[in-house]
Amino acid sequence: MVRYYTQELLAEVTQKLIEMGLLTNEKLGELQGRAALTMQPVDKLLMDESIVNEQDLLKVFSEASEIPYHNIGDFKIEQEAIDRINAKLALRHRIVPIHERNGVMTVAVNRVPTLATVDGLRMVLGIGVDFVLCSETDVSRSLTHFYGLGAETIDQLIAEAKAEEAKDNTPKETDIAVATQETGMVRFINLIIAEAIKMDCTDIHIEPFEHTLRLRYRIDGILQEIPLPKGVEALRNSVSSAVKIMGNMDIAEHRKTHDGRIKVNYDGRDYDLRVSILPTPWGETSCLRILNRGSTKVDLDQLGLSENQLPKIKQLIELPHGVILMTGPTGSGKTTTLYAILARLNKTGTKIITVEDPIEYQMQGISQVQTNAKIGLTFAAVLRSILRHDPDVILIGEIRDSETADIAIRSSLTGHLVLSTLHTNDAPSAVTRLTDMGVEPYLISSCVEGIIAQRLVRRVCKHCNHPYNPPEDIVDEIRTLYPQKMANAQFLIGNGCPSCGFTGYRGRSAINEAMIMSDPIRALVVSRTPANIIKDEAMKEGMVTLRQDGWLRVAEGRTSVEEVLRVAGRQEE
């Protein structure tokens, strides 16, 4: 029989914790005294002070109360159940509706409820209520996902904004700016930023439309809509004004674009947010790029590069001179991989200089230069000066024009190892791109030592993954490429849970295509051979394509077939 929260139940739980060796009588006495002073329950103090692991505590409560303990990812949360319980009720009692079956609503809670709470819920809903115990993280993330970010404060913000709007019959825009400063709107923006950092988001998009306000986070390279509570559309202008105030921009000017910076600290780490504001017919749209200001050490062996590619990349960076190019679209992790290479090369006897726009990682022992086009400090201008500083290794953030490409190529001729990036679809296409920039094929042939194409595929969430059967033609293709892997292959896909934002994916992994310049390939480059023929020759010599490297990740259970097809194309060209 299910038991609800009472002092007797709590006493049983604490006694069980003592028997398990997770709590002592002395500590319990101390907590009971503090609980009497602070009016906080002993079990909450156990959790807040990390005296007992949350999972252990919930399991003991589950055994004593006969309320089952689960990960919320074990359930498929139904929207009909969410709609039955409004945000105020869900947030007040910290409950997540899961589903309704035969007149009984199943809800997730992170604490055993009291009988008064149970009776109140049954009265409000008019049906029976069953409970499952879940972690506080599961409950919090689920409430945010289904009821909207900041749902607990939105009513107060709307009321305050309306009150300010009505004061003295002043114009709406002016009042909104004042309300932004005097009310909790800045706190609301801080909540959006904090949640974005917590979810490993790279960009925050706040977009007003005629009747709505949309919030989206770019997580693992994909834009995901973040639910906002009902009524937030009334704050469209207040939100943009708050962002402009935080970024030290002109809040009175709504017709022009604005750029600014916001500095925040979250969980002991400093972050820079590059803010851009654009005017639209329905208000100002904001984009905030999150940059970690801390120094980062990236290790090549810890990037998770596959067994196909890591030896080739290590072979390239041992060369004394030449050009190594990373290619791929924006956001494909090119810079991260290049910095991992720099970290490997960063030794006392090696002088390394980088020229970037902007400097994305700060590395000890490396001279880093940021370009500034407004004062003429372009990539080409910096490169001409860099050569007078006796570098061994040069990193060029991106080859953007013919002048930069020419200096990069010629720098390698004078005995420097040059690393840089290009935007091309695959490794062989980089040759064509350099030719289009005006670099002579004989220079490309003699200077470029290797080209590495890269994409990022999302990893299947480890908390909610389960086996599935990919299409048979894909399985056959993987079996042909990696017959030795098929014996232990595990094809996984995610259900969606709070840990992955209900997407089924969490984190990313690189897939690569490394083309080493051999004599036959150099001959093809000099004769201006098309990229597809260069690719055929590279594959004959053992080059593993992006798609093929992706299939290895699928066979290892790291990503899904859909992810590889999304980033590497539906078929090999």
Side-chain angles (χ1 to χ4, degrees):
M1 180 180 175
V2 172
R3 299 168 63 195
Y4 298 109
Y5 190 92
T6 61
Q7 288 304 312
E8 290 78 11
L9 181 70
L10 179 59
E12 279 185 36
V13 168
T14 52
Q15 186 57 43
K16 179 68 174 174
L17 291 172
I18 291 170
E19 291 171 7
M20 294 170 65
L22 300 174
L23 184 65
T24 63
N25 282 307
E26 293 76 13
K27 192 65 179 179
L28 176 59
E30 179 191 329
L31 288 172
Q32 288 171 336
R34 204 177 316 147
L37 287 173
T38 62
M39 304 301 290
Q40 295 282 345
V42 169
D43 54 311
K44 189 172 188 309
L45 292 177
L46 285 168
M47 291 272 297
D48 292 347
E49 299 179 21
S50 302
I51 296 169
V52 176
N53 177 280
E54 181 185 25
Q55 188 177 28
D56 292 335
L57 184 62
L58 288 176
K59 284 181 177 177
V60 174
F61 262 114
S62 174
E63 186 180 333
S65 65
E66 297 189 20
I67 296 175
Y69 169 70
H70 285 278
N71 290 320
I72 211 165
D74 297 340
F75 302 97
K76 173 97 173 141
I77 296 176
E78 297 176 358
Q79 189 60 45
E80 294 80 3
I82 296 291
D83 295 339
R84 281 293 306 269
I85 297 181
N86 63 43
K88 281 186 179 178
L89 187 64
L91 290 163
R92 184 186 308 130
H93 295 291
R94 307 293 295 168
I95 60 174
V96 180
I98 295 174
H99 54 66
E100 184 181 338
R101 299 280 188 275
N102 303 320
V104 177
M105 175 75 75
T106 300
V107 299
V109 290
N110 69 301
R111 295 185 64 207
V112 174
T114 63
L115 185 58
T117 299
V118 176
D119 288 342
L121 286 172
R122 286 172 178 164
M123 187 179 300
V124 170
L125 297 174
I127 56 175
V129 181
D130 279 346
F131 297 88
V132 292
L133 286 174
C134 296
S135 71
E136 166 62 23
T137 302
D138 276 1
V139 171
S140 294
R141 288 177 176 171
S142 299
L143 287 172
T144 297
H145 180 80
F146 289 104
Y147 289 103
L149 191 62
E152 61 272 19
T153 60
I154 197 66
D155 291 339
Q156 180 187 353
L157 290 173
I158 292 170
E160 289 174 348
K162 286 181 178 177
E164 289 296 332
E165 231 177 273
K167 276 186 184 177
D168 304 323
N169 294 318
T170 49
K172 187 174 182 181
E173 278 82 7
T174 307
D175 270 341
I176 286 169
V178 173
T180 301
Q181 291 173 301
E182 295 184 353
T183 69
M185 187 53 67
V186 169
R187 291 197 304 275
F188 182 61
I189 300 300
N190 281 331
L191 178 66
I192 289 174
I193 294 171
E195 188 69 18
I197 293 171
K198 196 187 304 180
M199 296 175 70
D200 295 328
C201 160
T202 56
D203 299 86
I204 303 169
H205 297 263
I206 307 172
E207 304 158 307
F209 296 98
E210 185 175 6
H211 302 297
T212 59
L213 179 71
R214 182 167 70 176
L215 172 66
R216 292 190 291 176
Y217 291 165
R218 189 173 293 280
I219 302 170
D220 293 335
I222 303 292
L223 273 177
Q224 298 176 21
E225 185 160 356
I226 305 300
L228 289 172
K230 292 177 181 176
V232 75
E233 60 276 1
L235 305 172
R236 290 194 302 274
N237 294 329
S238 300
V239 167
S240 63
S241 293
V243 172
K244 288 165 77 174
I245 286 172
M246 294 170 72
N248 295 317
M249 295 176 243
D250 184 359
I251 62 171
E253 178 56 75
H254 301 284
R255 301 164 299 171
K256 295 182 179 178
T257 62
H258 298 268
D259 291 301
R261 282 184 177 271
I262 299 173
K263 293 184 178 181
V264 298
N265 183 284
Y266 179 78
D267 199 22
R269 301 179 75 175
D270 292 326
Y271 295 86
D272 266 339
L273 281 79
R274 287 205 315 246
V275 186
S276 179
I277 305 284
L278 292 175
T280 74
W282 311 114
E284 291 169 297
T285 182
S286 310
C287 178
L288 293 77
R289 165 65 61 90
I290 301 173
L291 302 170
N292 188 342
R293 287 165 55 198
S295 297
T296 303
K297 180 170 175 57
V298 188
D299 188 88
L300 192 62
D301 290 324
Q302 295 176 358
L303 283 183
L305 299 176
S306 75
E307 61 195 47
N308 291 329
Q309 312 296 354
L310 186 58
K312 294 180 180 179
I313 294 172
K314 286 183 175 179
Q315 174 191 335
L316 283 173
I317 64 178
E318 289 172 359
L319 297 172
H321 53 78
V323 177
I324 301 172
L325 296 173
M326 288 289 303
T327 77
T330 302
S332 59
K334 300 187 299 295
T335 305
T336 302
T337 302
L338 283 179
Y339 265 91
I341 292 172
L342 284 188
R344 181 64 64 92
L345 296 171
N346 189 12
K347 298 171 185 173
T348 306
T350 305
K351 169 80 169 182
I352 302 175
I353 303 179
T354 74
V355 49
E356 305 167 72
D357 181 26
I359 296 172
E360 294 189 32
Y361 297 103
Q362 297 170 7
M363 292 191 75
Q364 193 71 26
I366 291 177
S367 301
Q368 296 173 273
V369 181
Q370 180 159 329
T371 61
N372 187 341
K374 291 180 181 177
I375 60 171
L377 195 66
T378 61
F379 277 102
V382 175
L383 281 171
R384 281 191 290 269
S385 297
I386 276 179
L387 295 176
R388 301 189 193 105
H389 282 257
D390 186 31
D392 297 295
V393 179
I394 301 170
L395 169 66
I396 304 168
E398 182 184 344
I399 294 178
R400 297 180 177 176
D401 52 44
S402 57
E403 189 178 10
T404 306
D406 188 61
I407 295 174
I409 292 289
R410 293 183 185 278
S411 297
S412 70
L413 286 174
T414 54
H416 303 93
L417 183 62
V418 179
L419 310 175
S420 192
T421 68
L422 272 177
H423 292 289
T424 63
N425 289 329
D426 58 12
S429 299
V431 173
T432 308
R433 181 86 176 93
L434 288 173
T435 306
D436 290 344
M437 284 183 172
V439 181
E440 291 295 333
Y442 75 89
L443 284 175
I444 299 172
S445 170
S446 59
C447 297
V448 175
E449 297 293 342
I451 303 167
I452 307 161
Q454 180 165 297
R455 298 288 190 280
L456 294 177
V457 291
R458 293 181 294 169
R459 285 174 170 264
V460 174
C461 176
K462 62 183 179 182
H463 297 286
C464 64
N465 65 44
H466 63 91
Y468 82 119
N469 296 317
E472 195 57 40
D473 59 325
I474 299 293
V475 175
D476 289 340
E477 188 177 343
I478 296 172
R479 184 180 292 111
T480 303
L481 288 168
Y482 307 107
Q484 72 282 7
K485 294 282 185 183
M486 287 304 293
N488 299 314
Q490 47 178 343
F491 301 110
L492 300 175
I493 199 163
N495 264 333
C497 69
S499 294
C500 60
F502 297 89
T503 61
Y505 298 96
R506 180 69 171 171
R508 288 188 287 180
S509 182
I511 59 173
N512 300 87
E513 176 180 291
M515 185 176 84
I516 308 293
M517 296 289 280
S518 64
D519 289 340
I521 292 176
R522 293 183 198 276
L524 292 175
V525 172
V526 170
S527 61
R528 297 180 182 267
T529 304
N532 62 317
I533 297 176
I534 295 175
K535 182 174 183 176
D536 290 342
E537 176 60 32
M539 290 178 69
K540 284 179 190 173
E541 296 178 9
M543 183 183 81
V544 176
T545 66
L546 287 166
R547 179 183 170 105
Q548 291 170 348
D549 200 36
W551 292 149
L552 177 60
R553 300 303 195 188
V554 171
E556 292 171 343
R558 297 193 185 197
T559 191
S560 67
V561 169
E562 290 72 17
E563 269 299 285
V564 174
L565 294 177
R566 179 179 69 83
V567 303
R570 292 279 158 184
Q571 60 184 4
E572 292 284 3
E573 295 179 1

